[in-house]
Every structure is written in C-alpha cells, then in structure tokens.
Amino acid sequence: MKSYDVAIIGSGPGGYVAAIRCAQLGMKTAIIEKYSTLGGTCLNVGCIPSKALLDSSHHYEDAVKHFEDHGIEIPGEIKVNLEKMIGRKQAVVDQTTGGIDFLMTKNKIDVYHGVGAFKDATHITISGDSTEEIEAKYSIIATGSKPTTLPFATVDKERIITSTEALKLKEIPKHLIIIGGGVIGLELGQVYKRLGSDVTVIEYMDRIIPTMDGGLSKELNKVFRKQKFNINVSHKVTSVQRSGDEITVTAENKKGELVEFKGDYCLVSVGRSPYTAGLNAESAGVKLTDRGQVEVNGHLQTSASNIYAIGDVVKGAMLAHKAEEEGVFVAESIAGQKPHIDYNLIPGVVYTWPEVASVGKTEEQLKELGVAYKSGQFPMRALGRSRASMDLDGFVKILADETTDEVLGVHMIGARCADLIAEAVVAMEFRASAEDISRMSHAHPTFAEAIKEAALAATENRALHV
Ligand code: FAD
Ligand code: NAD
C-alpha cells in the first residue's frame, strides 16, 4: 500500500491548489478525482466554460448590434454556429484541464482516478477501473458541490436543465425560463439572450443578485430590462411541468396569485449544495452539519483532527478563489505555518456585461451592524474611456468609515469591473482610507479612474468630473 503525507479528495480549484502547495512544502502528496479530467466544477462545468460562452456571445452581440456604430460594416447576415461555439468552449476546457495534469506531474503529485472513500481516518479506498487503498497521515476533503434541485422540478437534463447542460445545448432555446436570479441564472441567461432566446428570470427574493449591494441589483436590473430580459422578482416557483417540448413554470407572486410562464427550456439555478456522496465521511469520524456541509473549525479542521476540508463543501461563499485560498491555508497549516484568510476581502464577481463586482461590506450590512459610514459614487458614463468604448452603464461606489475614512466596502458595476475590483481588494487589504485611494494617480483614460473619483466623492464629496 502506498503511503502519503497528504491525500486530497477532489481536484477542483480547492483540491488541486492544495496539492500543489503541499508538494511545494515538501510533502508527499496524492490527489483523487472521480472524473477522468482534473479541475472540478470550475474548470469542467463552471467558471471556465461559462466565461468562454460569455465571451463568444459577447462577440456575436457586438457584431450584430454595435459594429455598425463603430463604422464596421459586415455584408450579409451574421449567424451563430452554436456547435462551433460550444466546440470552442470545450477546447478551452480541455486545454485548461490538461494544464492541471501538467502541474500535477511537474509537482510530482500522484493522481488517482476513482471515487475516494474513507475506510478510517488514515486510509482511503479508491474505486475506479480497479480498487486500491492508500494510507495518508493527513487528508483534505475538497469534494465541492452540485446543483441544488427543487423537489417539484425533475431535472431531465434535456429541457429542464442545470448549468451543466446549459453549457452544451444543441440548439438555442426559443424561450428560456430561468428559476433563480443569482449568478448562474444571470450569466447563462445573458449568453442565451445574446444568442437570440427570449429569457424570463423568476427570482424568489425582491431583487436579483440579492446577496450583493442593493445598488448593484438595481442598476443590473435596469440594464437587463433595457436588454429585454423579462425579470420577475418576489416570485416563488412552486411547480415545473413538461409536456412534450413545452415547459410550464408556475410561481406565486407577492399577492399570493399564481402566475404561469411557458417556454421550451427551463434552467434551474437556485444555488448549489455541498457534495459528500460516497465519501464515507463517518467512517473517519468526520461530522457533517445539518446543511450537509463538512463541519470545520477556524483552522478548517474537521471533527477528525488529521482531516481538513475546504471549498464548496464547507461553509462560506462558493467561489473558486475562496476554495484556492483555503487550499493554500490548509497546506501551510499542516506544514506548521500560521496562515490567515480574511473572508471579508474575498471579492465576488458576476461576469455579465456590464460586469458586477464587490468586496467588503454592503450598505445593507453596514446598516445592520450599526456602522456609521459615508458613501461616494461615480457614474461610468462620466469617464472618457467609457464614452470611447460606448460602455456607459454602471458606477463605482465606495463605502468608508464616517470617522476614520477607512474603506469598508467597494461595489461596482460596469465594463471590466471583474478586473477593477482587484484594486479595491489591495486597498482594503492594506486598510487604505478613501483619501489614500483618491490621492493615487490612475492612468487616463481608464475605467479605473472611476475608483479614484468615487474615493474623492467619499472623501469630501469632491469628485472632479461630475
Ligand atoms: P469543485 O470544483 O466542485 O471540485 C470538487 C471535485 O471533487 C470534483 O471534480 C468532483 O468530481 C470531485 N469529487 C467529489 N467527490 C469525490 C470523491 N468521493 N472522490 C473523488 N473525487 C470526488 N466561481 C468563481 O469563483 N468564479 C466563477 O466565474 C464561477 N463560475 C461558475 C459557473 C458555473 C456554471 C458554476 C456551476 C460554478 C461557478 N463558480 C464560479 C463556482 C466554482 O466552480 C466553485 O466555487 C469551485 O469549483 C469550488 O471548488 P472546489 O474545489 O471546492 O470544488
Ligand atoms: P445563487 O445563490 O447565486 O442564486 C440562486 C437564486 O435562486 C437566489 O437568488 C435565490 O433567491 C433563488 N431561488 C431559490 N429558490 C427559488 C425558487 N423556488 N423560486 C425562485 N427563485 C429561487 O446560486 P446559483 O446562481 O445557482 O449559483 C450557485 C453558486 O455558484 C453560487 O454560490 C455562486 O457563488 C457560484 N457561482 C459563482 C459565479 C461567479 O463567481 N461569477 C458564477 C456562477 C456560479
């Protein structure tokens, strides 16, 4: 039987990053993945393929709607070749997952393909083409998550689908009904809207992207309505029925009335649930919470002291970069170091266009915490850069402590905000004040100037260009 310092179950961004860091720190490391490709949800059916389709559909929309404004004329009809678009997405995925194989080899990490199940706290059985057992001093559970389903909606993977199927459809839906106005619903909804589908979003809460700052929800809602999305908030879906190719979704509105929506596809995107099936966690003394997550303490240690858990399978935001941070954290903890993660500074991004990005506290959270704060906001449309590219929607909002001026939250919506948010993370990591940001030179013309202007607005209400 092979023996390891660390065995990692699951090869998503949590697992494979933990494996690399363990190997860097000199530990003999194994990683176990039940699928034939490494990379987990993120690389195979999550972050990477969804961004590939967002990019392709964005190009198409630009060609159809915006090239003309730029003086670019394309003779003849511009058409979508969906098969080719999905094929390009798959090529990007294959290249990216292949990159993880390379990294495992480079770092001398042993890769096992098969379902990993604990026999006890130091032994794992791997069931793949054959069954083998390994011994590990420490283990890291990084088994991720799977789409949450609704008891009354049978996902048939043909017309009633999850994000996994939405990334490989064979035709463009005529009318896509999306249950859940969260990140997946809006990103994939925008892909198909751009490609020509009618898109109806049904959201239970009173706003889309309900966990982000309210100002962002409002602005994104405005832009999506301009893009002719049919958005229905405060609607609780109660039934999903399929009859042939027709899907009927029934939802209860605020007044308690039942409203019917009819379409040819229905995407169920109501969140994701931790995945521990087949892990046999209890044999190792690993406890689960009543929400099905692996229970961990502040060191990400489970109820079995030599077993850790990270990523989507534990509490916290279900984000690839959060899983990665936790992977590094656990590897360094096992090596005897004292790492730290500031969960308040894990940014959240929605890759629609305009992009939406956030870090730190929202206005709603600050109010609930009773923190006295001031707010500075700057509209994207006031930037020269925005006018040059005709990306006028959105704003940057900076929330700073009323007394100390320390930045407490940054919320932005607009072109390239997914990348711009990194400046806010750096600033907050170094506990910058709004004035600190306002006194730093930002290249002109850039979208980043909106951050400086919002900081000026927060400091003394003295933005320069409004
Ligand atoms: P996962 O990536 O889920 O990996 C877990 C792995 O463990 C899987 O490969 C699974 O097969 C394997 N596994 C499970 N059980 C076993 C077992 N018993 N034995 C062996 N292997 C096992 N996040 C972002 O930050 N940015 C984005 O843009 C983004 N876009 C997304 C788009 C979509 C459509 C979806 C669905 C998700 C997206 N996410 C995004 C979320 C992101 O994918 C997850 O937060 C991230 O993948 C979690 O990483 P993880 O390592 O915890 O688990
Ligand atoms: P989500 O939690 O973002 O959104 C789900 C939405 O569905 C919520 O707004 C919820 O109120 C709504 N909902 C739940 N039950 C409902 C019902 N019966 N009727 C109507 N609405 C209902 O979840 P998601 O969009 O499925 O994404 C899952 C996870 O994947 C998220 O945690 C997210 O962090 C991650 N993800 C991240 C990215 C990114 O970082 N860009 C992209 C995709 C997914």
Side-chain angles (χ1 to χ4, degrees):
M1 188 189 312
K2 274 201 149 183
S3 195
Y4 293 92
D5 293 319
V6 185
I8 295 151
I9 307 179
S11 73
Y16 86 75
V17 167
I20 294 172
R21 190 69 188 118
C22 285
Q24 284 176 343
L25 290 163
M27 291 179 252
K28 191 172 176 213
T29 307
I31 191 162
I32 304 157
E33 171 55 56
K34 68 175 184 167
Y35 288 123
S36 58
T37 56
L38 302 181
T41 304
C42 178
L43 275 62
N44 290 281
V45 289
C47 326
I48 300 301
S50 58
K51 266 80 259 179
L53 290 182
L54 276 159
D55 275 332
S56 295
S57 59
H58 200 166
H59 286 311
Y60 172 67
E61 186 183 49
D62 274 344
V64 172
K65 294 194 180 152
H66 304 137
F67 275 13
E68 216 180 321
D69 297 332
H70 291 267
I72 303 166
E73 288 172 10
I74 299 180
E77 197 189 345
I78 303 166
K79 285 197 212 151
V80 175
N81 180 335
L82 187 65
E83 196 183 341
K84 199 164 173 185
M85 197 178 276
I86 302 272
R88 187 198 79 94
K89 173 223 73 175
Q90 196 52 43
V92 172
V93 167
D94 294 345
Q95 215 177 16
T96 314
T97 56
I100 307 300
D101 291 336
F102 164 79
L103 290 173
M104 296 300 106
T105 310
K106 184 185 161 203
N107 287 284
K108 302 190 172 48
I109 295 159
D110 284 354
V111 177
Y112 292 88
H113 287 283
V115 176
F118 285 105
K119 192 173 162 197
D120 57 43
T122 51
H123 294 85
I124 299 168
T125 318
I126 303 159
S127 313
D129 291 341
S130 58
T131 301
E132 49 188 321
E133 190 177 316
I134 61 169
E135 186 182 37
K137 208 162 142 198
Y138 294 97
S139 291
I140 304 174
I141 300 170
T143 48
S145 62
K146 62 171 178 27
T148 301
T149 47
L150 294 166
F152 47 80
T154 311
V155 172
D156 61 19
K157 300 190 179 187
E158 283 176 8
R159 300 235 161 220
I160 304 174
I161 57 176
T162 69
S163 54
T164 304
E165 294 76 47
L167 293 166
K168 52 179 184 195
L169 288 184
K170 297 225 167 2
E171 62 176 0
I172 298 166
K174 289 183 193 64
H175 186 173
L176 175 62
I177 301 175
I178 297 176
I179 309 178
V183 205
I184 292 183
L186 298 182
E187 287 185 357
L188 293 177
Q190 199 171 42
V191 166
Y192 287 103
K193 182 76 198 147
R194 288 167 176 163
L195 299 184
S197 305
D198 284 334
V199 177
T200 295
V201 176
I202 309 173
E203 167 56 48
Y204 172 69
M205 302 295 278
D206 61 359
R207 59 187 174 98
I208 54 170
I209 45 167
T211 54
M212 296 185 96
D213 188 274
L216 299 178
S217 299
K218 207 169 152 194
E219 180 74 2
L220 190 66
N221 194 58
K222 196 175 90 192
V223 179
F224 267 38
R225 282 185 191 278
K226 253 191 326 193
Q227 294 175 1
K228 306 248 176 332
F229 275 77
N230 176 5
I231 294 179
N232 304 270
V233 295
S234 302
H235 277 64
K236 184 185 171 195
V237 173
T238 52
S239 143
V240 180
Q241 301 289 336
R242 176 176 173 181
S243 168
D245 290 350
E246 188 179 73
I247 311 293
T248 306
V249 176
T250 311
E252 194 181 311
N253 69 13
K254 243 191 334 204
K255 295 180 203 150
E257 298 158 348
L258 291 183
V259 188
E260 246 182 35
F261 302 89
K262 285 192 189 295
D264 56 341
Y265 284 85
C266 172
L267 168 64
V268 182
S269 49
V270 293
R272 292 180 63 85
S273 309
Y275 186 77
T276 53
L279 189 62
N280 214 15
E282 58 288 353
S283 299
V286 172
K287 284 191 194 144
L288 305 186
T289 67
D290 44 13
R291 299 179 63 191
Q293 295 162 326
V294 175
E295 191 178 286
V296 285
N297 63 18
H299 302 285
L300 297 173
Q301 209 167 16
T302 69
S303 44
S305 62
N306 67 322
I307 302 176
Y308 293 75
I310 58 173
D312 281 10
V313 80
V314 301
K315 63 189 173 190
M318 288 185 164
L319 295 173
H321 44 286
K322 177 258 193 187
E324 289 188 31
E325 292 305 326
E326 291 184 337
V328 170
F329 177 96
V330 165
E332 293 180 351
S333 299
I334 293 173
Q337 298 182 5
K338 301 261 178 289
H340 173 71
I341 297 175
D342 186 346
Y343 285 97
N344 185 44
L345 296 187
I346 304 243
V349 173
V350 188
Y351 294 82
T352 48
W353 199 264
E355 291 177 335
V356 188
S358 250
V359 64
K361 298 275 182 277
T362 62
E363 285 212 53
E364 291 77 11
Q365 286 170 330
L366 291 177
K367 279 180 191 149
E368 205 177 308
L369 292 167
V371 177
Y373 68 95
K374 50 193 179 163
S375 169
Q377 190 162 317
F378 188 81
M380 290 295 190
R381 64 176 53 249
L383 295 172
R385 186 71 194 81
S386 301
R387 281 194 300 279
S389 69
M390 301 174 88
D391 289 304
L392 299 170
D393 294 313
F395 59 82
V396 174
K397 177 164 80 174
I398 294 188
L399 307 174
D401 188 281
E402 177 70 46
T403 319
T404 65
D405 196 36
E406 180 177 351
V407 177
L408 302 175
V410 180
H411 309 284
M412 46 176 82
I413 172 165
R416 304 198 198 160
C417 282
D419 295 294
L420 294 185
I421 198 69
E423 176 181 346
V425 178
V426 173
M428 290 178 71
E429 196 64 69
F430 285 93
R431 302 197 62 177
S433 64
E435 187 181 352
D436 287 333
I437 299 176
S438 77
R439 290 192 180 278
M440 290 175 198
S441 172
H442 287 66
H444 174 74
T446 57
F447 293 106
E449 285 175 287
I451 301 177
K452 180 188 170 93
E453 291 274 8
L456 278 168
T459 313
E460 288 171 350
N461 197 16
R462 60 179 182 92
L464 294 164
H465 291 91
V466 276

